[in-house]
């Protein structure tokens, strides 16, 4: 796992921009603490920061390929292509010679052989940029589910790109500004229109897309999407095939030349991954799987977190025989970690969600370089509470939003009139619904469940994957997500809702597929969301901080907010489906304010 960045310009000579391209590359040093590489030509510059995971000695980047026809291809790549050995065998049979054991070189030769279609053969999580001198073209690509990030900023004579916004911000051509819709994105934390960011002119390459950049501009192509087809397998066959696909996904993601572990919460998702990985590690990884759980000593129970994870995780670890560690967090650490999380994200943080995850990854990284995670199982198998116990008809908006408040309600009357937050929200929801691949003949309940899962997979899950990537890579830890194997996602996508919820149990399909691997009470454990610590003692301090911000004439948010509406919103008693507390709402506002100050963001609404 690494960090990539670059610059193409059709008019200036980039060989004269060494200081800037070096700054862009160095900005990603946390993503790649092991090495730095930079290649520059008159038209293109590619930078790379490396976290060495496979072929530590041989996988140096940028990586070059000179063909007999005089074609020169240069690649910077981040991620893992899990089927790289199979692709290398195919390419060798087609006459390609390899100098290294790395998956990076396989991607380079795959592009030479198959062109842009190479991404359709790749299984994994990846983002890469490739300069083809023969075509004078930059090729950008991103994995199907959006596990690895890739941002770009097009301008009149060229384009900047990077794994994170900070690489683009390191170039003086880009100035951080926010327009109206960008401002709304900041206040709709869990709703992100695919491909857009809050910053003016800064785009994210959407999942399952590649881009070709030439003097004529940027041309996006969607190479993957979910397709809806009738499911003909019996329930027994479906359970069996789901187990097979998940087992293969986990096995393929155990390859690493550095220490590998698993994150374990004691829920069905992470426990299934740990159980399947246990005992299958390559010999060089050691005989036992290492597992890690997060705990707060005084964690309170909530609607979404009815029980603590640590005891359940310890039970799973004892059952599997893993080398287990419970990492107990001191709430005082969260305050210091919040600013680290903001700088890692380059956007306002999700309060304690980001800070605690950053601390977890930081501690895991002390002993391991790669970790397996149970992330994305709720989106793939339909585990969120808003899927269950609700009417069969389509909801009026994104189902994870509360019914009586929005953070955008804090904006002043003038902005409410000009930006029309609720109307924009409806436009976004309509856009999300239009993209759902419907299946003719489904019942209303099945069609609604399909639509909601698609919205989760394409609007909500990318936010969580982005959080996971940014917090982990800020510590130099690579986190792999077997539930995002696209072959598993495609199969489960077309499995009928009644199979996913057999006997009225959420994620029944997943539970049945791994029931023989885990204790019965773990298999049937109710969902417990990621633990977030919001001590009551902090609430008064947060309220004081919010009051100070609203009174501070230097605050970039002060003139945007209506103080009365702000206090009404943060104190609204409804927690909503995600159980967002008053403290977390205040923390979000404070994070927006801090981000705008630290990044010198201008507002051009």
């Amino acid at each position: 796992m690494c960090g990539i960045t670059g610059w193409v310009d059709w008019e200036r000579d980039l060989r004269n921009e060494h200081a800037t391209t070096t700054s862009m590359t160095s900005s990603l040093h946390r993503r790649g603490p092991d090495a730095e590489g930079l290649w520059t030509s008159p038209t293109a510059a590619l930078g790379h920061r490396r976290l060495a995971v496979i072929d530590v000695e041989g996988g140096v980047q940028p990586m070059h390929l000179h063909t007999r026809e005089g074609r020169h291809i240069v690649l910077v790549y981040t991620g893992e292509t899990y089927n790289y050995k199979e692709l290398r065998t195919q390419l060798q049979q087609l006459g390609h010679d390899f100098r290294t054991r790395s998956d990076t070189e396989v991607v380079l030769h795959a592009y030479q052989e198959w062109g842009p279609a190479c991404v359709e053969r790749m299984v994994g999580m990846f983002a890469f940029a490739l300069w083809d001198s023969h075509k004078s073209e930059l090729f950008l690509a991103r994995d199907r589910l959006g596990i690895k990030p890739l941002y770009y900023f097009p301008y009149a004579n060229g384009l900047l790109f990077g794994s994170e916004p900070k690489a683009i911000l390191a170039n003086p051509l880009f100035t951080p500004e926010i327009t109206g819709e960008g401002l709304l994105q900041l206040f709709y934390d869990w709703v992100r229109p695919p491909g857009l960011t809050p910053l003016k002119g800064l785009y994210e390459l959407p999942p399952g897309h590649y881009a070709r950049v030439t003097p004529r501009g940027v041309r996006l192509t969607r190479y993957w999407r979910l397709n809806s087809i009738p499911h003909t397998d019996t329930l027994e066959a479906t359970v069996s095939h789901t187990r097979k696909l998940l087992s293969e996904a986990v096995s393929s993601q155990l390859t690493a030349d550095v220490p590998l572990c698993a994150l374990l919460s004691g829920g069905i998702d992470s426990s299934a991954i740990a159980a399947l990985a246990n005992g299958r590690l390559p010999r060089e990884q050691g005989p036992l799987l290492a597992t890690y759980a997060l705990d707060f000593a005084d964690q309170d129970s909530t609607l979404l977190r009815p029980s603590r994870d640590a005891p359940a995780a310890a039970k799973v670890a004892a059952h599997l025989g893993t080398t287990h560690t419970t990492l107990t967090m001191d709430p005082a650490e969260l305050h210091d970690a919040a600013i680290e999380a903001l700088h890692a994200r380059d956007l306002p943080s999700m309060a304690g969600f980001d800070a605690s995850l950053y601390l977890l990854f930081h501690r895991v990284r002390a002993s391991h370089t790669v970790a397996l995670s149970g992330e994305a199982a709720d989106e793939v198998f339909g585990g969120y509470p808003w899927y269950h116990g609700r009417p069969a008809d389509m909801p009026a908006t994104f189902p994870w939003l509360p019914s009586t408040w929005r953070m955008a309600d804090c904006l002043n009357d003038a902005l409410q009139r000009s930006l029309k937050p609720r109307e924009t929200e409806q436009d976004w929801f309509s856009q999300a619904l239009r993209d759902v691949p419907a299946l003719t003949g489904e019942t209303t309940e099945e069609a609604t469940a399909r639509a909601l899962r698609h919205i989760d997979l394409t609007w909500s899950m990318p936010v969580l994957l982005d959080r996971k990537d940014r917090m982990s890579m800020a510590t130099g830890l690579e986190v792999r997500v077997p539930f995002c194997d696209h072959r598993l996602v495609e199969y489960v996508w077309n499995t009928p809702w009644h199979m996913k919820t057999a006997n009225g149990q959420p994620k029944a399909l997943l539970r049945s597929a791994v029931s023989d691997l885990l204790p019965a009470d773990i298999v049937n454990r109710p969902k417990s969301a990621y633990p977030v610590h919001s001590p009551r003692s902090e609430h008064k301090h947060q309220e004081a901080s919010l009051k100070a911000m609203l009174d501070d004439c230097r605050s970039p948010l002060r003139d945007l907010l209506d103080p009365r509406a702000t206090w009404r919103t943060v104190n609204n008693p409804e927690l909503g489906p995600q159980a967002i507390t008053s403290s977390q709402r205040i923390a979000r506002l404070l994070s927006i304010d801090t981000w705008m100050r630290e990044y010198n963001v201008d507002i051009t609404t």
Side-chain angles (χ1 to χ4, degrees):
M1 202 67 67
C2 309
I4 64 173
T5 187
W7 185 3
V8 292
D9 194 292
W10 313 108
E11 293 191 354
R12 74 184 74 200
D13 189 337
L14 296 184
R15 292 173 298 185
N16 299 325
E17 303 290 345
H18 182 75
T20 299
T21 52
T22 297
S23 179
M24 292 171 68
T25 304
S26 298
S27 73
L28 300 172
H29 68 279
R30 287 193 174 187
R31 294 187 72 92
D34 297 328
E36 179 173 301
L38 176 62
W39 171 83
T40 306
S41 73
T43 306
L46 302 182
H48 188 264
R49 289 291 316 194
R50 188 178 185 213
L51 176 64
V53 173
I54 295 176
D55 192 5
V56 174
E57 298 298 325
V60 177
Q61 298 186 50
M63 190 172 284
H64 302 254
L65 179 63
H66 296 271
T67 70
R68 294 187 183 92
E69 300 79 22
R71 187 179 180 190
H72 182 204
I73 305 172
V74 187
L75 171 70
V76 285
Y77 162 83
T78 176
E80 305 291 347
T81 300
Y82 301 123
N83 65 331
Y84 76 98
K85 293 180 180 178
E86 293 89 337
L87 291 176
R88 182 171 61 191
T89 298
Q90 294 176 29
L91 289 162
Q92 286 172 330
Q93 292 171 349
L94 292 169
H96 292 257
D97 296 320
F98 290 86
R99 299 176 291 104
T100 74
R101 296 184 297 106
S102 70
D103 58 339
T104 302
E105 188 179 13
V106 172
V107 174
L108 189 56
H109 282 266
Y111 177 84
Q112 180 196 8
E113 181 67 33
W114 297 305
C118 67
V119 293
E120 299 175 28
R121 298 172 181 259
M122 296 167 62
V123 176
M125 55 177 187
F126 54 83
F128 64 90
L130 188 149
W131 175 253
D132 189 329
S133 64
H134 178 70
K135 297 180 179 179
S136 192
E137 176 179 288
L138 178 71
F139 181 75
L140 304 174
R142 193 175 180 205
D143 65 68
R144 295 167 179 83
L145 276 300
I147 307 169
K148 302 312 297 177
L150 186 57
Y151 295 84
Y152 67 96
F153 167 64
Y155 61 95
N157 303 313
L159 177 139
L160 310 174
F161 71 86
S163 293
E164 298 179 7
K166 58 175 56 68
I168 295 169
L169 286 162
N171 191 307
L173 287 177
F174 182 76
T175 301
E177 297 178 341
I178 291 181
T179 59
E181 186 164 339
L183 185 62
L184 286 185
Q185 287 184 48
L186 292 179
F187 284 82
Y188 276 87
D189 194 30
W190 293 87
V191 177
R192 179 191 296 176
L196 299 182
T197 78
L199 291 171
K200 180 181 179 181
L202 181 67
Y203 300 95
E204 189 173 13
L205 187 64
H209 283 68
Y210 62 76
R212 302 172 75 164
V213 184
T214 68
R216 294 183 298 276
V218 181
R219 178 183 172 189
L220 291 181
T221 299
R222 187 173 189 171
Y223 71 87
W224 182 84
R225 64 170 296 159
L226 287 167
N227 292 313
S228 296
I229 59 175
H231 184 81
T232 57
D233 290 349
T234 64
L235 178 58
E236 182 180 6
T238 299
V239 170
S240 176
H241 195 58
T242 298
R243 168 68 168 269
K244 176 178 180 292
L245 290 172
L246 183 57
S247 298
E248 290 174 350
V250 172
S251 294
S252 70
Q253 297 188 28
L254 295 176
T255 300
D257 295 336
V258 292
L260 178 147
C261 66
L263 307 175
L264 181 60
S265 70
I268 185 63
D269 307 340
S270 63
S271 299
I273 298 301
L276 290 168
N278 192 46
R280 300 188 186 191
L281 286 178
R283 184 173 302 172
E284 59 269 22
Q285 291 290 337
L288 297 177
L289 176 69
T291 53
Y292 290 90
L294 170 67
D295 192 29
F296 289 103
D298 55 348
Q299 179 68 49
D300 296 328
S301 296
T302 68
L303 180 65
L304 291 186
R305 290 173 287 279
S307 62
R308 286 172 56 194
D309 288 343
K315 181 171 186 175
V316 174
H319 177 79
L320 298 177
T322 67
T323 302
H324 186 64
T325 304
T326 298
L327 300 172
T328 303
M329 298 292 173
D330 179 352
E333 296 178 274
L334 293 177
H335 182 271
D336 294 335
I339 194 65
E340 294 285 350
L342 184 145
H343 289 154
R345 187 183 278 274
D346 292 328
L347 287 169
S349 71
M350 295 183 182
F353 290 97
D354 285 0
S356 60
L357 197 63
Y358 172 86
L359 288 172
L360 170 64
F361 291 151
H362 179 72
R363 293 197 185 177
V364 171
R365 181 62 175 90
S367 302
H368 292 82
T369 309
V370 177
L372 299 181
S373 167
E375 190 101 55
D378 283 312
E379 289 84 2
V380 175
F381 287 90
Y384 286 123
W386 47 82
Y387 291 119
H388 308 283
R390 57 172 306 282
D393 294 331
M394 187 69 63
T397 188
F398 298 96
W400 56 83
L401 295 177
S403 60
T404 60
W405 61 271
R406 301 285 188 272
M407 290 304 299
D409 295 342
C410 299
L411 296 171
N412 62 40
D413 288 343
L415 287 173
Q416 294 286 344
R417 289 191 297 272
S418 63
L419 300 182
K420 299 180 174 58
R422 297 299 177 111
E423 292 183 21
T424 302
E425 176 188 322
Q426 287 301 306
D427 289 343
W428 287 342
F429 188 59
S430 297
Q431 176 187 338
L433 287 177
R434 287 194 298 270
D435 199 39
V436 176
L439 181 63
T440 303
E442 280 191 316
T443 65
T444 300
E445 181 181 20
E446 290 280 356
T448 299
R450 182 181 296 275
L452 294 182
R453 284 194 305 116
H454 194 269
I455 293 171
D456 261 339
L457 287 165
T458 56
W459 285 66
S460 174
M461 189 171 77
V463 176
L464 297 178
L465 290 175
D466 183 70
R467 178 189 69 157
K468 178 271 306 172
D469 173 86
R470 215 59 63 78
M471 296 306 110
S472 62
M473 293 306 295
T475 69
L477 179 72
E478 173 179 305
V479 177
R480 299 176 179 177
V481 279
F483 283 113
C484 283
D485 185 295
H486 75 275
R487 297 162 300 185
L488 173 67
V489 173
E490 288 172 345
Y491 183 75
V492 176
W493 165 251
N494 283 305
T495 302
W497 184 242
H498 66 83
M499 288 188 178
K500 297 185 182 74
T501 56
N503 302 316
Q505 187 178 41
K507 290 193 288 193
L509 175 57
L510 173 61
R511 299 178 197 275
S512 297
V514 298
S515 61
D516 61 314
L517 301 176
L518 299 163
D521 57 339
I522 297 298
V523 171
N524 296 306
R525 186 186 178 208
K527 176 177 174 56
S528 185
Y530 177 80
V532 178
H533 195 275
S534 299
R536 294 182 179 91
S537 60
E538 279 288 304
H539 187 65
K540 291 296 183 184
H541 173 72
Q542 287 181 309
E543 287 187 324
S545 297
L546 178 58
K547 183 179 185 303
M549 186 198 79
L550 293 172
D551 292 339
D552 186 355
C553 62
R554 296 167 300 175
S555 168
L557 273 188
R558 181 176 183 269
D559 293 335
L560 304 180
L561 303 181
D562 179 311
R564 290 186 179 180
T566 297
W567 287 112
R568 280 198 307 269
T569 301
V570 300
N571 290 319
N572 188 302
E574 186 201 349
L575 297 178
Q578 292 186 343
I580 303 299
T581 65
S582 174
S583 292
Q584 290 163 358
R585 293 172 227 176
I586 293 175
R588 177 62 180 179
L589 291 173
L590 295 175
S591 181
I592 293 173
D593 179 73
T594 301
W595 172 72
M596 294 181 72
R597 294 181 196 237
E598 296 243 341
Y599 283 73
N600 296 312
V601 179
D602 291 328
I603 302 173
T604 58
T605 58

